[in-house]
Each structure stands twice: as C-alpha cells, then as structure tokens.
Amino acid sequence: MDHLNPPPTGAMPPRTPLARPIQDLGAPYHDANAPPRTPTGHARAWRLATFVPAILTTLLLAGAFLDWFRSGGITPTEIALTGLVTVTFFWVAFSVATASVGIVTILAQRRTGAQRPVPAMDVALLIPTYNEAPCDVFGNALAMLEDLRRDTQSGHRYTLFVLSDTRDDAIAAQEVAAFHVLRAALTGTPVHYRRRAENTDHKTGNLADWIEGWGGAHDAMLVLDADSLMSGDAIRALTDALSSDPAAGLIQSFPKVIGARSLYGWIQQFSSSVYGTLLSEGLARWSDAEGNFWGHNAILRTQAFAACAGLPHIDGFRARDAAILSHDFVEASLLRRAGWSVRFLPRISGSFEEAPQTLIDYILRDRRWCSGNLQHLRLLASSGFHAISRFHLFHGAVSYLTSPAWFVLLLFWALLGNGENSVLTYFSDQNPDFPLWPVMR
C-alpha cells in the first residue's frame, strides 16, 4: 500500500488547479477561446486525391466480380462474397492511396526557411508510468532533459513530472530512489514525482489528476509514454510549432520504433521506418487540421485540453459507466469539435518509442487496443464531431473487424467450390511426365 512508500517531501510543486469539465457527447460544444480558422482548399484536394482513387478502385473490382459471376447466374453466396471483397479491399486500396500521397509529398517537399522566433512557453513533460522498470523510465527522462539543457536560445521552460500509477511497492520504492538520483543529477531543472493512491481510470485518470491539480501553471503539456524517448530538438520543434500556431490544440509527432531485441521486434522496427514513413506523410496531408492523437509523443495546449476533452464514462457491452479505453482518438475528436486544430507533423525527427518484442506481447497489447477501438463504434454518433474525426474512430474499429471479415471471405471461397471442377489437375495417368496447363476463364 502507499503508506509503505510515501512520496518524497517536496516531490510536487504547490497546486495550481485547472478546471476540467466532463464533456457531454450528446450535445455540441465550441470553445470560445479557440481562434477562428479559415479552411483552405489544400486539405479538400488531398482528401479527394486519397479517397476517390480508393473508392473507384474498389468499385471497379466489385464490378469485375459481378461480371464474372453473371455468366452462370448470380447466387446469394456470390452476392455476399462480392460484398465481403468490396468491404475488405477498400481498406487495402485506401492504404495504397495514402502511401501514394505520401510519396508525392516527399518528392515535392521543399526546404523551409529559417524558423522565426516564437513566444516562449512553459511546458510540462508528463511521463505516466504503471509498474514499469524505473531504470528505463528515469534513464530516458535524464537523456531528454540533458539534451534540453543544451538549448540556450529558444526561451521555452520545461518541467518534468513522473506520474506514477504503480501498484507494486517494490517498484514504487525504486521509483522514489531513481527520482532522488535524477533530481540530484539535474540541479536547477524542475523535476517532480507523484504516485496516486488509486489508479482510477488508468492513464486517463492519471493525466486528469495532474491537470486538475497542477495544470494551471503550464501553457502546454508534452505527453510521453514510459518507453518514449525524444531528442531535445524534437521537443523544441513541437513546442515551437504549438507556439507559432495559436489555433492548434494538439500536435502529434511520428514516433519511430527503436530498441528491437528480437527478430519480431526488428521486423516491426523495419516496417515502421519504411512503410510507416510513407503512410504518415500521406495521413498528415489528408487529415490536415483534423488529425488524430496516439496518446504519447505529442504536445497539447493545456487550457484547451482541460476545457474541451474531459472524457465521460459510457455504457459498454460488458460494463455500465465504464471508462473510455482508447481515450486518445476521442480526445482528439473532442478538441476538434470545440474548434481547435489537431495537427500531425511526421517530419519532426527524433521521436521514438519501443514496441513489443514477441508475438505474445504484441497480441496482449493488441487485445487492449481492440477493446478500446471497438468501443469507439458507440461514439460515432456523438454530437458535433467532424466527419474526419468520425472516420478516424471508424477506421480504428475497422482495422480489427477486417480480420474476421477476411476469415469469412475464405470460408465463402470454399463454399463456391464445385466438386471436382474446383480442383486443378496438372498430370494425368496417360501422360504423367508432362503437365496439363488448365485454361482459366
């Protein structure tokens, strides 16, 4: 229990409360503090360049299937098969279209001029942790803060908060010891540590507790995961971007996967570096100011987030009055609903995260994500959400629903078998040495 590991004296600064009203998903809401924003035609053009090819390609494929089946009469099974092919293929075509837009963007990119000075901001670096290895959490924090201390020109002020929800007393004791070491190593840099008595609402509640207790003293908060690592340049670039765009409520970076220690981890690291780069560039183009939030390695305007993104409890399939699990997608939707821009800047280098090292660990994480993303289906009808925000929510759920859809598709192909005619025979008893190549119509 917490009384066995009391928080160290002076671990937190004086409280500066910030109101965080809970949002009503059934009523529209606009934040009066959100600056007016004039939409540009660029986002509309990029969306047409992404969605139209994906839709047309899918319709052409569906037409080809119906034309193929029409020669022998279309059966209900064939109609169902065509529907499944259409539903599953669209998301493949959409990914290809997004990556193609990313390629065009990379080829057409131009060098930007020198960065203009921006107003200085007071930024809180938040690291929520839950039973994580303290040496990794505080070691990454030390690396980030030491890199930031080399900056003598930007004027931004950074304060670190390690927000512990750790339930294991032995790990909590190590956290306290690591906190003292970190604070001693960074004399003059504000470093704080807080451990909650109860981990109500998990990570969402952890961040909400900090906002309601200390959020009023900081212009922005840069949310990290326990395994996140960002260079000082990346942190400053995110801070500069938020400071220079008063309409932005959230700016997400693209974290690259690092720290692979297994074959499975190396595969993920490779795919993140190669495929993820193209997809992220395309996503940034067509999402524009209606971007998404991945829960970490992103900077948020504290006042806007507190005023507009307080998550309610909802009734789920398994429980009533349950916390929203994949909270980040919903928080981004709430910010955009209130009038704030949600941007994605994939070209900011120096943003990193770790990934599961084994397939079992990946499945365990994916099971949590699956529960949260399917929960989003109940939020699609929320009042005031932007159409692109609804698409993000739907896309997250579909990414898990397509797996059983592909399985059902295989079953339908098996049902279309027609006895011996569905088996290809390449050799005959009369001439076993030479193959008979079948004619496919």
Side-chain angles (χ1 to χ4, degrees), residues 102 169 270:
D169 288 319
F270 174 81

Side-chain angles (χ1 to χ4, degrees), residues 53-402:
I55 294 172
L56 289 179
T57 305
T58 304
L59 291 177
L60 287 174
L61 181 65
F65 265 81
L66 290 175
D67 185 64
W68 178 32
F69 291 140
R70 190 175 291 114
S71 59
I74 300 178
T75 66
T77 301
E78 291 169 341
I79 293 176
L81 174 65
T82 304
L84 277 172
V85 168
T86 302
V87 169
T88 52
F89 182 79
F90 170 76
W91 301 104
V92 177
F94 181 73
S95 295
V96 173
T98 299
S100 299
V101 168
I103 293 174
V104 173
T105 301
I106 291 174
L107 293 177
Q109 66 183 356
R110 299 177 181 177
R111 293 183 178 180
T112 57
Q115 177 70 38
R116 295 181 179 180
V118 296
M121 301 191 78
D122 196 309
V123 182
L125 308 179
L126 308 183
I127 306 181
T129 180
Y130 178 84
N131 290 343
E132 306 288 345
C135 58
D136 293 335
V137 175
F138 287 86
N140 287 350
L142 176 62
M144 289 185 284
L145 290 176
E146 284 186 331
D147 204 9
L148 282 172
R149 292 179 71 173
R150 300 187 182 98
D151 177 26
T152 58
Q153 298 180 349
S154 69
H156 300 306
R157 300 171 298 279
Y158 297 97
T159 304
L160 175 71
F161 292 85
V162 177
L163 308 176
S164 175
D165 261 355
T166 294
R167 301 297 93 194
D168 187 297
D169 288 319
I171 296 177
Q174 295 174 19
E175 290 175 353
V176 173
F179 162 71
H180 285 299
V181 172
L182 181 63
R183 175 175 274 187
L186 296 170
T187 305
T189 301
V191 177
H192 304 288
Y193 170 83
R194 187 269 286 131
R195 183 187 179 200
R196 284 202 299 169
E198 299 291 340
N199 63 329
T200 306
D201 289 347
H202 310 292
K203 182 179 178 180
T204 307
N206 197 355
L207 294 175
D209 178 81
W210 178 85
I211 291 172
E212 294 171 357
W214 297 273
H218 303 277
D219 304 315
M221 56 185 195
L222 195 148
V223 180
L224 301 156
D225 263 356
D227 60 357
S228 293
L229 182 64
M230 295 186 71
S231 68
D233 288 340
I235 295 174
R236 284 188 293 270
L238 279 179
T239 308
D240 287 344
L242 188 71
S243 179
S244 62
D245 184 0
L250 185 155
I251 300 179
Q252 174 72 60
S253 70
F254 175 51
K256 298 287 185 68
V257 176
I258 60 170
R261 300 182 298 275
S262 66
L263 176 60
Y264 187 77
W266 291 326
I267 292 173
Q268 291 188 85
Q269 190 166 305
F270 174 81
S271 63
S272 170
S273 176
V274 178
Y275 316 132
T277 299
L278 299 179
L279 290 169
S280 65
E281 286 285 350
L283 173 62
R285 280 297 182 182
W286 64 256
S287 63
D288 195 51
E290 288 76 43
N292 211 352
F293 180 31
W294 297 341
H296 57 91
N297 292 38
I299 191 168
L300 304 90
R301 200 175 299 276
T302 311
Q303 181 68 49
F305 188 77
C308 309
L311 293 179
H313 284 193
I314 62 173
D315 293 334
F317 296 108
R318 296 183 179 181
R320 298 182 62 84
D321 194 36
I324 294 176
L325 299 179
S326 293
H327 57 92
D328 37 16
F329 282 37
V330 184
E331 289 162 343
S333 301
L334 289 170
L335 277 171
R336 189 66 194 93
R337 178 182 78 161
W340 294 97
S341 298
V342 178
R343 296 171 54 198
F344 178 34
L345 300 182
R347 296 186 190 177
I348 292 180
S349 60
S351 177
F352 308 102
E353 65 173 340
E354 293 187 19
Q357 299 299 316
T358 67
L359 180 59
I360 297 299
D361 291 336
Y362 187 90
I363 291 173
L364 291 174
R365 186 187 71 174
D366 235 33
R367 183 175 64 179
R368 298 194 304 270
W369 287 5
C370 178
S371 299
N373 280 269
L374 293 182
Q375 194 183 48
H376 292 165
L377 293 174
R378 303 176 63 86
L379 305 177
L380 290 177
S382 299
S383 181
F385 279 4
H386 192 281
I388 297 298
S389 297
R390 297 185 202 274
F391 181 79
H392 287 312
L393 295 172
F394 183 65
H395 193 188
V398 166
S399 64
Y400 291 95
L401 293 175
T402 48

